[in-house]
Amino acid sequence: MDDNVLLEIRPIGEIEGHFYVPNYQRGYRWTSSQVVALLNDIWDSSERKEDTYCLQPIVIMGCLRGYELIDGQQRFTTILILLNYIKRRGLPIDIKFELDYATRSKTKEFLENVNEKEAQGNIDFYHIYEADRTIDDWLNKKFDGDFNKITYSLFTLINFLLKSVKVIWYEVDNNEDPIALFTRLNIGKIGLTNAELIRALLLRRIPNDPDRDKKQIEMSIQWDNIEKELRSDNDNLWSFISKESPDAYPTRIEILFEMMAGLINAKRRDYDTFYWFENEIKEKGLDAIWLKIQQDYLQIKEWYSDNEFYHKIGYLISSGHKTIGEIFELARGKRKSEFRKELDVLIAESIDFKMKLDETYRDLSYEGDQEKISRILLLFNIQSIINEGAYQRFPFSKYNNSEWSLEHIHAQQSEGLKNAKLQIKWIEMHIESVKVVSAPEENLELIERMKEIVASNSIESRNVFDNIFNEVCNVLSEDGDSEYIHSLANMALLKKNDNAALNNSTFDVKRNKIVEMDQKGAFIPYCTKMVFLKYYTPSNDNQVHFWGKKDRDAYLKAMAKVLNPYLTLINKTI
């Protein structure tokens, strides 16, 4: 879009002139629910005594008739309907602008004198009439039909409407193609973004500034470079600063603006980021604001290139504990050593769960503490990479953009195997494991029964499957204890898998699958891979096919060692 635009926030009371809606646009079509939503929003803002209630942008272009209204006409028309409604009730209100539709003559006159008779003449007038009636119904319901209350409330509202209700005035150059611009903004409802509006603010021409053209070119190049880098590296830079899908940001630089305005994850209206920047630019100037944007971005890149900061900041953001904006506030004015200590405190706080006095992290259960266990395991994976100086970096892009689940390292329950197809598949997957762990001439009868079921592709009953399931689990389990099944010691992070037969499998079957996935280049979290490769179990206690007590103890011991620096900060243990 052309950078040579007039862009400002303009109060309704300061809008003057004739606005013309050309014939390439549809007429007024707002429904009662849309009108009521706008009325409620404006009224609530006036009740809160807000200085500004900003409408969405109106995109206009100067023409012989005044202004051609290219975008934003539905909301703009509704405001004019409301102002004319107030005026018809005899209240003193000065309306300095008027509106005409190319497809409907006498629109201006009808807006000033809405009536049921003329409303039946065409569809545009009908919808304007319905909006006018909706305003009347809304007032009567809100103030119980009391004439005095309604009149008093409208008196109160007039000042707010004229001074505090504002539009984002986006006036394009006369050389712009209005139909092409209208198409871009309305086909698929691609509205102006905060980033586009902020760009227009930053690149607008300033009278008597001979260096402005040169600055505009430099700024445009710098802007494009930032946008390009936020889209590069398989989205790893993006995922380092945000857990949001990049698809949520058509212009990715916008996340820097939200960060500066303190609006990441905040409850806000559509254009709050733009309003914040418009005010900041007024106070501090274009050049100062653009310099701050560049400095913040360079700080992000510096953290991204530092292995420790990359992993610790990435963890805080991916876990949902902090946003990049909050981390910037934490870093402000601190030396690196101080900032590093503050990050450690935040990380410790992220796993400082409320538990009973006699409980430890070992007591966390899959059945009620999945979110807590997931966070502990995420930190365990990330901190392990830092400690080991591993060649790999944790790929936040893959983690943030996938569904993850807590995987039972060894499963001894069959709740997920609810039909014969899944049961037969589970039996088929376990035949080789039973063979491998069995001594010669051992478990031959069990293996034969399993083969027969798979060959026939049928199973007599759930009871038959349960018997085989229990026998297989006994063969492939080191001990008979099953109390640990849902505990932290039996949990690992793995990408969500809809394969119920695999999810309910024993350690040996899962281990073989993990190895197969790893050989194909699938992303398997660092510690999950170490678990199934028996990395944590001392070699003298190691046995490849089982996940026993010694394995679980060694796993918890490794977890405690890696997380100890954080646990000591919150007086907790694993």
Side-chain angles (χ1 to χ4, degrees):
M1 193 172 290
D2 194 339
D3 293 327
N4 189 20
V5 300
L6 172 62
L7 177 63
E8 62 186 18
I9 294 178
R10 189 171 292 189
I12 292 293
E14 294 180 15
I15 295 177
E16 300 182 16
H18 185 91
F19 291 83
Y20 168 73
V21 180
N23 56 16
Y24 57 76
Q25 297 195 39
R26 69 172 183 167
Y28 182 71
R29 293 294 183 275
W30 257 28
T31 63
S32 293
S33 61
Q34 289 171 302
V35 174
V36 167
L38 180 61
L39 291 171
N40 284 333
D41 215 15
I42 291 174
W43 180 260
D44 290 345
S45 295
S46 70
E47 288 277 272
R48 292 191 295 268
K49 295 183 170 32
E50 294 179 0
D51 293 331
T52 297
Y53 175 86
C54 266
L55 301 170
Q56 292 179 335
I58 62 165
V59 181
I60 57 173
M61 182 173 70
C63 65
L64 292 175
R65 301 173 184 231
Y67 297 108
E68 184 170 334
L69 184 53
I70 298 169
D71 193 56
Q73 60 113 334
Q74 301 288 327
R75 193 177 300 263
F76 192 60
T77 303
T78 305
I79 290 293
L80 186 55
I81 293 169
L82 174 58
L83 295 175
N84 277 309
Y85 173 89
I86 294 172
K87 188 173 184 177
R88 288 202 319 277
R89 289 191 69 114
L91 278 72
I93 185 168
D94 185 17
I95 307 172
K96 299 177 182 177
F97 65 95
E98 56 191 26
L99 184 67
D100 259 329
Y101 282 79
T103 54
R104 304 292 180 196
S105 61
K106 300 184 179 179
T107 308
K108 173 183 173 296
E109 291 80 0
F110 183 73
L111 281 164
E112 293 172 354
N113 183 30
V114 177
N115 63 87
E116 186 174 6
K117 182 179 179 182
E118 287 185 85
Q120 306 307 316
N122 65 67
I123 190 66
D124 293 333
F125 285 9
Y126 170 78
H127 282 288
I128 291 170
Y129 173 78
E130 286 296 306
D132 184 89
R133 292 301 84 206
T134 298
I135 293 169
D136 193 64
D137 290 344
W138 179 83
L139 285 164
N140 279 296
K141 287 178 182 177
K142 194 164 192 68
F143 302 105
D144 303 319
D146 188 308
F147 178 84
N148 292 328
K149 286 183 180 178
I150 292 172
T151 302
Y152 176 78
S153 299
L154 289 177
F155 264 114
T156 304
L157 195 59
I158 287 171
N159 191 56
F160 185 78
L161 280 168
L162 296 181
K163 293 184 179 179
S164 298
V165 175
K166 303 171 184 178
V167 299
I168 300 173
W169 183 275
Y170 196 100
E171 185 175 346
V172 300
D173 190 87
N174 284 19
N175 294 322
E176 185 77 59
D177 180 347
I179 297 178
L181 181 53
F182 172 79
T183 303
R184 173 256 188 265
L185 293 171
N186 287 277
I187 299 301
K189 300 194 181 297
I190 306 171
L192 285 168
T193 64
N194 281 295
E196 285 178 300
L197 292 169
I198 292 167
R199 181 187 175 97
L201 278 177
L202 293 168
L203 296 179
R204 64 186 173 186
R205 296 189 178 278
I206 297 176
N208 304 318
D209 185 350
D211 296 327
R212 194 64 202 161
D213 286 348
K214 180 182 177 183
K215 290 177 183 177
Q216 282 184 327
I217 293 170
E218 291 175 351
M219 195 180 293
S220 294
I221 293 171
Q222 291 160 350
W223 176 295
D224 291 342
N225 284 339
I226 292 173
E227 183 68 23
K228 182 179 178 181
E229 288 178 3
L230 287 171
R231 293 178 180 276
S232 65
D233 198 17
N234 295 317
D235 289 335
N236 282 324
L237 176 56
W238 171 267
S239 298
F240 164 63
I241 61 174
S242 176
K243 64 181 295 186
E244 293 289 323
S245 167
D247 295 338
Y249 287 79
T251 310
R252 296 194 185 180
I253 196 174
E254 187 168 330
I255 196 169
L256 300 183
F257 305 149
E258 289 182 354
M259 178 189 77
M260 290 175 65
L263 292 170
I264 292 180
N265 292 347
K267 186 177 181 181
R268 60 186 185 274
R269 297 193 184 101
D270 287 346
Y271 292 97
D272 279 357
T273 308
F274 166 74
Y275 308 147
W276 185 88
F277 267 89
E278 199 264 350
N279 187 63
E280 286 291 294
I281 289 170
K282 277 183 181 177
E283 289 186 8
K284 300 173 183 175
L286 289 173
D287 294 338
I289 294 301
W290 180 245
L291 179 62
K292 181 68 167 60
I293 292 168
Q294 290 178 290
Q295 289 172 338
D296 284 357
Y297 180 64
L298 288 174
Q299 180 63 82
I300 285 172
K301 287 185 69 176
E302 182 183 331
W303 289 337
Y304 181 72
S305 64
D306 182 289
N307 200 52
E308 183 178 1
F309 283 138
Y310 167 82
H311 283 103
K312 289 184 175 181
I313 292 171
Y315 161 77
L316 287 167
I317 291 170
S318 282
S319 66
H321 189 63
K322 292 295 174 182
T323 66
I324 189 65
E326 290 169 327
I327 289 168
F328 256 92
E329 284 302 310
L330 181 76
R332 212 173 297 283
K334 292 186 177 69
R335 295 191 300 272
K336 274 189 178 182
S337 57
E338 293 177 295
F339 178 49
R340 189 175 283 109
K341 288 178 181 177
E342 292 289 346
L343 285 178
D344 288 346
V345 170
L346 285 182
I347 292 171
E349 290 173 352
S350 78
I351 56 169
D352 189 9
F353 308 129
K354 291 181 180 179
M355 293 186 287
K356 296 176 183 177
L357 288 175
D358 58 340
E359 282 185 331
T360 68
Y361 289 78
R362 294 175 184 236
D363 299 310
L364 294 174
S365 172
Y366 175 84
E367 294 183 313
D369 304 308
Q370 290 189 32
E371 186 177 340
K372 295 174 183 177
I373 294 175
S374 293
R375 186 170 288 191
I376 288 172
L377 292 179
L378 175 61
L379 179 56
F380 178 43
N381 274 274
I382 290 171
Q383 189 61 44
S384 293
I385 291 173
I386 297 173
N387 291 359
E388 298 297 331
Y391 68 91
Q392 63 173 289
R393 292 180 120 200
F394 189 86
F396 292 107
S397 60
K398 292 183 178 179
Y399 183 81
N400 293 346
N401 296 317
S402 301
E403 284 190 75
W404 292 83
S405 65
L406 289 176
E407 187 75 14
H408 288 79
I409 297 170
H410 177 75
Q412 274 188 301
Q413 296 181 319
S414 60
E415 286 89 344
L417 306 171
K418 296 179 180 179
N419 59 58
K421 183 178 179 180
L422 287 173
Q423 293 162 10
I424 294 167
K425 182 66 177 175
W426 188 92
I427 291 171
E428 182 181 15
M429 292 170 66
H430 283 76
I431 292 174
E432 288 304 314
S433 291
V434 172
K435 284 182 181 179
V436 168
V437 302
S438 300
E441 306 302 319
E442 186 181 21
N443 297 317
L444 296 180
E445 189 269 335
L446 171 61
I447 293 169
E448 195 57 37
R449 275 188 287 139
M450 294 171 74
K451 287 182 175 180
E452 288 176 2
I453 289 172
V454 172
S456 66
N457 197 32
S458 65
I459 193 165
E460 292 179 17
S461 66
R462 175 74 197 207
N463 189 53
V464 170
F465 171 72
D466 285 342
N467 288 335
I468 290 178
F469 181 90
N470 290 330
E471 288 182 63
V472 170
C473 285
N474 286 334
V475 172
L476 294 174
S477 300
E478 189 183 58
D479 50 51
D481 177 25
S482 61
E483 290 183 5
Y484 70 88
I485 288 296
H486 292 316
S487 72
L488 178 62
N490 193 43
M491 293 291 142
L493 273 183
L494 200 61
K495 193 171 179 179
K496 188 175 181 181
N497 190 332
D498 294 328
N499 187 338
L502 179 62
N503 295 341
N504 289 272
S505 294
T506 56
F507 173 80
D508 193 60
V509 169
K510 288 186 176 180
R511 178 183 175 279
N512 292 333
K513 184 63 178 177
I514 294 290
V515 170
E516 179 186 330
M517 290 166 60
D518 191 41
Q519 289 172 338
K520 292 180 179 178
F523 168 56
I524 301 163
Y526 183 85
C527 296
T528 301
K529 190 187 296 187
M530 297 301 101
V531 161
F532 284 97
L533 294 179
K534 291 297 192 82
Y535 178 87
Y536 301 114
T537 308
S539 57
N540 58 321
D541 293 325
N542 219 329
Q543 20 63 37
V544 175
H545 304 288
F546 304 100
W547 182 249
K549 186 177 185 307
K550 291 178 181 178
D551 300 304
R552 298 192 295 273
D553 289 345
Y555 184 39
L556 289 174
K557 184 178 179 181
M559 207 179 294
K561 181 180 178 182
V562 169
L563 300 181
N564 264 341
Y566 303 113
L567 299 174
T568 54
L569 293 176
I570 53 175
N571 299 314
K572 296 284 176 70
T573 59
I574 287 183

